[in-house]
Amino acid sequence: MTDRIRSMVSRTSKLEFPWNAPPGKGEVTEISPGLLWARLPLPFRLDHVNVWLLEDDDGWTVIDTGCATPELFDVWETLLAGPMRGLPVRRVVATHGHVDHIGLSGWLVERFEADFVGTFAEWIWARLTHMHDVPNSSATHHSYLIRHGFDESVADGMIKSRNRFIDLSGPIPGAITEIRDGHTIRFGRRDWRVLVTRGHAFEHASFYDSVSDILISGDHLLPRISPVIAVYEMTPTADPLADYLASFPQFADIPARTLVLPSHGMPYRGIHERIEELRDHHRKRLDATANSLSVPRTALDLSRTMFPHIEGPDNIGFALGETLAHINYLVNSGVVQEGRDANGRAIFTARS
Ligand SMILES: [Zn+2]
């Protein structure tokens, strides 16, 4: 599950990008001694994910893995035999449970008998959502889509599409070394402070090395696109946008000179400027959402206004989720109220 919706935020003039181009397929760029950057292809509109390879005394730590496509297995083989010099992977770390980050973790863990490291919520979430036929899963998804304005046939198509998405994940590891906010974890001959944040995911982990001033930021702080902040059917009344905005102070003591290593896009400096841009982006989207709800509407109807160029069942699903994140925030703030129409659909209206 990715950030396939490019939700604006294109002005990044205050950011500094030390590298002009990403590493080629199966190649790496050295970020710092023993810390390598590889880029993996993805079968989505957002067509790549960055992974970080850290050399330990007895092998490698891998941060994120990409998803299970034939091309990606080939790229991993090239990396393992080439830049990773045939040395074993000792540890697989997941920043979070979305399929482009965790999809091949089980394959790597099993192949090398590696340790799997991540947060508990992301591990459980991935095990539940990347599995077919979880009881009540499709029925819950279906009623959620109907409630928000989809008709039956489109809802059925979206549920089938979700099932295809599941196939992009291999098995998720059966056991985990759990990390929590504030922990220090050592890999790549460095100590990393774990920062666990909510908003893009339930327990997203970033890793900060205060000696080198490097932050592995996963999807939480991307340079050019806004990470998807979305409501999903499992937690329909959640307020992930409030969670996301509340996460920013967790980065307040990270020095401005810190090199940020994001999962999508290019490494950058300017974390605090970027946080301001993201805050500003959501403020504008909240204003636009409230303005559009001066006329009572379903969330689907509003999402077509907020994301006019989105097509395809997966992207429409993400547009709905992102729109609902802004709606739920406004409902909790007392700006918008929810009602029902004669068909039982949720109708949202800005309070006058
Ligand atoms: Zn993600």
Side-chain angles (χ1 to χ4, degrees):
M1 196 163 303
T2 63
D3 319 294
R4 285 173 292 165
I5 300 165
R6 282 169 188 268
S7 18
M8 310 192 318
V9 189
S10 57
R11 283 181 301 103
T12 51
S13 56
K14 293 175 192 156
L15 305 187
E16 178 197 325
F17 295 92
W19 286 271
N20 294 323
K25 205 191 292 182
E27 298 171 355
V28 297
T29 295
E30 186 182 74
I31 296 287
S32 164
L35 198 176
L36 307 180
W37 168 23
R39 177 167 279 203
L40 307 178
L42 293 179
F44 308 128
R45 185 166 133 179
L46 182 59
D47 62 3
H48 71 272
V49 61
N50 299 323
V51 299
W52 315 100
L53 315 173
L54 293 105
E55 191 162 4
D56 290 301
D57 293 336
D58 57 350
W60 293 91
T61 293
V62 167
I63 314 282
D64 290 340
T65 62
C67 54
T69 63
E71 183 183 20
L72 237 153
F73 284 107
D74 287 348
V75 174
W76 269 116
E77 296 297 349
T78 305
L79 289 169
L80 288 163
M84 297 170 79
R85 308 193 311 278
L87 295 173
V89 174
R90 296 296 188 192
R91 189 181 294 105
V92 176
V93 180
T95 57
H96 61 301
H98 294 168
V99 71
D100 49 331
H101 299 260
I102 209 170
L104 283 180
S105 56
W107 172 69
L108 279 170
V109 163
E110 194 176 323
R111 174 164 169 173
F112 293 101
E113 297 182 10
D115 192 17
F116 177 67
V117 177
T119 60
F120 189 75
E122 290 303 299
W123 173 63
I124 289 291
W125 185 90
R127 277 174 74 83
L128 273 176
T129 51
H130 301 155
M131 201 187 285
H132 288 287
D133 303 323
V134 175
N136 288 330
S137 175
S138 293
T140 300
H141 192 192
H142 184 268
S143 60
Y144 164 86
L145 293 172
I146 298 297
R147 185 166 67 251
H148 288 302
F150 287 88
D151 65 33
E152 293 280 347
S153 64
V154 178
D156 289 344
M158 289 177 70
I159 287 161
K160 286 202 183 80
S161 170
R162 169 80 64 88
N163 284 330
R164 282 195 297 276
F165 207 69
I166 292 172
D167 295 332
L168 289 169
S169 180
I172 304 299
I176 188 172
T177 295
E178 186 193 358
I179 48 174
R180 297 185 183 184
D181 188 50
H183 278 184
T184 298
I185 178 172
R186 186 165 181 84
F187 54 78
R189 303 185 185 115
R190 300 153 188 263
D191 289 324
W192 300 86
R193 190 205 330 160
V194 179
L195 294 100
V196 175
T197 49
R198 298 178 65 98
H200 176 68
F202 292 96
E203 286 186 354
H204 180 291
S206 302
F207 303 93
Y208 174 57
D209 165 17
S210 63
V211 174
S212 302
D213 282 324
I214 293 175
L215 177 75
I216 296 171
S217 71
D219 278 358
H220 200 73
L221 296 172
L222 300 173
R224 293 216 185 268
I225 58 176
S226 163
V228 168
I229 308 297
V231 171
Y232 301 101
E233 75 281 2
M234 282 192 286
T235 51
T237 59
D239 192 347
L241 182 54
D243 289 335
Y244 188 59
L245 297 174
S247 77
F248 292 153
Q250 289 179 253
F251 299 90
D253 70 342
I254 305 277
R257 61 181 175 273
T258 297
L259 179 66
V260 183
L261 305 181
S263 293
H264 307 286
M266 302 290 285
Y268 66 97
R269 288 195 174 85
I271 180 171
H272 300 297
E273 289 81 358
R274 186 60 189 141
I275 284 172
E276 269 318 300
E277 288 174 353
L278 288 162
R279 208 195 306 267
D280 190 47
H281 163 73
H282 286 295
R283 218 175 268 138
K284 287 178 180 151
R285 296 292 274 181
L286 283 167
D287 286 347
T289 301
N291 287 338
S292 296
L293 291 177
S294 56
V295 178
R297 308 166 81 164
T298 64
L300 173 62
D301 188 18
L302 178 60
S303 70
R304 291 195 172 120
T305 303
M306 302 298 285
F307 297 93
H309 305 300
I310 291 294
E311 285 176 21
D314 291 338
N315 289 331
I316 291 170
F318 279 109
L320 175 72
E322 181 113 0
T323 300
L324 272 168
H326 289 80
I327 289 175
N328 283 3
Y329 184 99
L330 293 168
V331 168
N332 284 343
S333 312
V335 176
V336 164
Q337 61 187 354
E338 178 178 353
R340 295 281 160 142
D341 71 6
N343 297 315
R345 295 183 307 178
I347 303 293
F348 298 97
T349 317
R351 294 175 195 270
S352 47

